[in-house]
Coordinates of all heavy atoms in Angstrom, one line a residue:
Chain Q
G45 N -112.8 -156.7 -33.4 CA -113.0 -156.3 -34.8 C -112.8 -157.4 -35.8 O -112.7 -157.1 -37.0
H46 N -112.6 -158.6 -35.3 CA -112.4 -159.8 -36.2 C -113.6 -160.7 -35.9 O -114.0 -160.8 -34.8 CB -111.1 -160.5 -35.9 CG -109.9 -159.8 -36.5 ND1 -109.5 -158.6 -36.1 CD2 -109.0 -160.2 -37.5 CE1 -108.4 -158.2 -36.7 NE2 -108.1 -159.2 -37.6
A47 N -114.1 -161.4 -37.0 CA -115.2 -162.3 -36.8 C -114.8 -163.5 -35.9 O -113.8 -164.2 -36.2 CB -115.7 -162.8 -38.1
V48 N -115.6 -163.8 -34.9 CA -115.4 -164.9 -34.0 C -116.8 -165.6 -33.9 O -117.8 -164.9 -33.7 CB -115.0 -164.6 -32.6 CG1 -114.8 -165.8 -31.8 CG2 -113.6 -163.8 -32.7
Y49 N -116.9 -166.9 -34.3 CA -118.2 -167.5 -34.2 C -118.2 -168.6 -33.1 O -117.2 -168.9 -32.5 CB -118.5 -168.2 -35.6 CG -118.4 -167.2 -36.8 CD1 -117.4 -167.3 -37.7 CD2 -119.4 -166.3 -36.9 CE1 -117.4 -166.4 -38.8 CE2 -119.4 -165.4 -38.0 CZ -118.4 -165.5 -38.9 OH -118.4 -164.6 -40.0
W50 N -119.4 -169.2 -32.9 CA -119.5 -170.4 -32.1 C -119.7 -171.6 -33.1 O -120.6 -171.6 -33.9 CB -120.7 -170.3 -31.2 CG -120.9 -171.6 -30.4 CD1 -121.8 -172.6 -30.6 CD2 -120.1 -172.0 -29.3 NE1 -121.7 -173.6 -29.7 CE2 -120.6 -173.3 -28.8 CE3 -119.0 -171.5 -28.6 CZ2 -120.1 -174.0 -27.8 CZ3 -118.4 -172.2 -27.5 CH2 -119.0 -173.4 -27.1
S51 N -118.7 -172.5 -33.0 CA -118.8 -173.7 -33.8 C -119.8 -174.7 -33.1 O -119.4 -175.3 -32.1 CB -117.5 -174.4 -34.1 OG -117.6 -175.6 -34.6
R52 N -120.9 -175.0 -33.8 CA -121.8 -176.0 -33.2 C -121.3 -177.4 -33.3 O -121.6 -178.2 -32.4 CB -123.2 -175.9 -33.9 CG -123.9 -174.5 -33.6 CD -125.2 -174.4 -34.3 NE -125.1 -174.8 -35.7 CZ -126.1 -175.0 -36.5 NH1 -127.4 -175.0 -36.1 NH2 -125.9 -175.3 -37.8
S53 N -120.5 -177.7 -34.3 CA -120.0 -179.1 -34.5 C -118.9 -179.3 -33.5 O -118.8 -180.4 -32.9 CB -119.5 -179.3 -35.9 OG -118.6 -178.3 -36.3
R54 N -118.0 -178.3 -33.3 CA -116.9 -178.5 -32.4 C -117.2 -178.0 -31.0 O -116.4 -178.2 -30.1 CB -115.7 -177.8 -32.9 CG -115.1 -178.5 -34.2 CD -113.9 -177.7 -34.7 NE -114.3 -176.6 -35.5 CZ -113.6 -175.5 -35.7 NH1 -112.3 -175.4 -35.2 NH2 -114.0 -174.5 -36.4
Q55 N -118.3 -177.3 -30.8 CA -118.8 -176.8 -29.5 C -117.7 -176.0 -28.8 O -117.3 -176.1 -27.7 CB -119.2 -178.0 -28.6 CG -120.5 -178.6 -28.9 CD -121.7 -177.7 -28.6 OE1 -121.9 -177.4 -27.4 NE2 -122.5 -177.4 -29.5
K56 N -117.1 -175.1 -29.7 CA -116.2 -174.1 -29.1 C -116.1 -172.9 -29.9 O -116.6 -172.8 -31.1 CB -114.8 -174.8 -28.9 CG -114.1 -175.2 -30.2 CD -112.7 -175.7 -29.9 CE -111.9 -175.8 -31.2 NZ -110.4 -176.0 -30.9
L57 N -115.5 -171.8 -29.4 CA -115.3 -170.6 -30.1 C -114.4 -170.9 -31.4 O -113.5 -171.7 -31.3 CB -114.6 -169.5 -29.3 CG -115.5 -168.9 -28.2 CD1 -114.6 -167.9 -27.3 CD2 -116.7 -168.1 -28.8
W58 N -114.8 -170.2 -32.4 CA -114.1 -170.4 -33.7 C -113.6 -169.0 -34.2 O -114.4 -168.3 -34.7 CB -115.1 -171.1 -34.6 CG -114.8 -171.1 -36.1 CD1 -113.5 -171.1 -36.7 CD2 -115.7 -171.1 -37.2 NE1 -113.7 -171.1 -38.1 CE2 -115.0 -171.1 -38.4 CE3 -117.1 -171.1 -37.2 CZ2 -115.6 -171.1 -39.6 CZ3 -117.7 -171.1 -38.4 CH2 -117.0 -171.1 -39.6
H59 N -112.3 -168.8 -34.0 CA -111.8 -167.5 -34.5 C -111.6 -167.7 -36.0 O -110.6 -168.4 -36.5 CB -110.5 -167.2 -33.8 CG -110.6 -166.8 -32.4 ND1 -110.6 -165.5 -31.9 CD2 -110.9 -167.6 -31.3 CE1 -110.8 -165.5 -30.6 NE2 -111.0 -166.8 -30.2
K60 N -112.5 -167.1 -36.8 CA -112.5 -167.3 -38.3 C -111.1 -167.0 -38.9 O -110.6 -165.9 -38.6 CB -113.6 -166.4 -38.9 CG -113.6 -166.4 -40.4 CD -114.2 -167.7 -41.0 CE -114.3 -167.7 -42.5 NZ -114.6 -169.0 -43.0
G61 N -110.6 -167.9 -39.6 CA -109.3 -167.7 -40.2 C -108.1 -168.2 -39.4 O -106.9 -168.0 -39.8
E62 N -108.4 -168.8 -38.2 CA -107.3 -169.1 -37.3 C -106.3 -170.2 -37.9 O -105.1 -170.2 -37.8 CB -107.8 -169.6 -35.9 CG -108.6 -170.9 -36.0 CD -109.4 -171.2 -34.7 OE1 -109.1 -170.6 -33.7 OE2 -110.3 -172.0 -34.7
Q63 N -107.0 -171.1 -38.8 CA -106.2 -172.1 -39.5 C -105.8 -171.6 -40.9 O -104.7 -171.8 -41.4 CB -106.9 -173.4 -39.6 CG -106.8 -174.3 -38.4 CD -107.4 -175.7 -38.8 OE1 -108.7 -175.8 -38.7 NE2 -106.6 -176.6 -39.2
S64 N -106.8 -171.0 -41.6 CA -106.7 -170.7 -43.0 C -106.0 -169.4 -43.3 O -105.5 -169.2 -44.4 CB -108.1 -170.7 -43.6 OG -108.9 -169.7 -43.0
G65 N -106.0 -168.5 -42.3 CA -105.5 -167.2 -42.5 C -106.6 -166.3 -43.1 O -106.3 -165.1 -43.4
H66 N -107.8 -166.8 -43.4 CA -108.8 -166.1 -44.0 C -109.7 -165.4 -43.0 O -110.9 -165.6 -42.9 CB -109.7 -167.0 -44.9 CG -108.9 -167.6 -46.1 ND1 -109.3 -168.8 -46.6 CD2 -107.8 -167.2 -46.7 CE1 -108.4 -169.1 -47.6 NE2 -107.5 -168.1 -47.7
Q67 N -109.0 -164.5 -42.3 CA -109.8 -163.7 -41.2 C -110.8 -162.8 -41.9 O -110.7 -162.4 -43.1 CB -108.8 -162.8 -40.4 CG -107.8 -163.6 -39.5 CD -106.5 -163.8 -40.2 OE1 -106.4 -163.6 -41.4 NE2 -105.5 -164.2 -39.4

Side-chain angles (χ1 to χ4, degrees):
Chain Q
H46 284 64
V48 179
Y49 302 112
W50 176 256
S51 169
R52 294 181 306 167
S53 56
R54 288 178 284 156
Q55 288 285 302
K56 63 173 195 171
L57 287 175
W58 162 32
H59 292 255
K60 177 74 180 170
E62 62 193 345
Q63 274 189 279
S64 63
H66 298 153
Q67 294 94 346

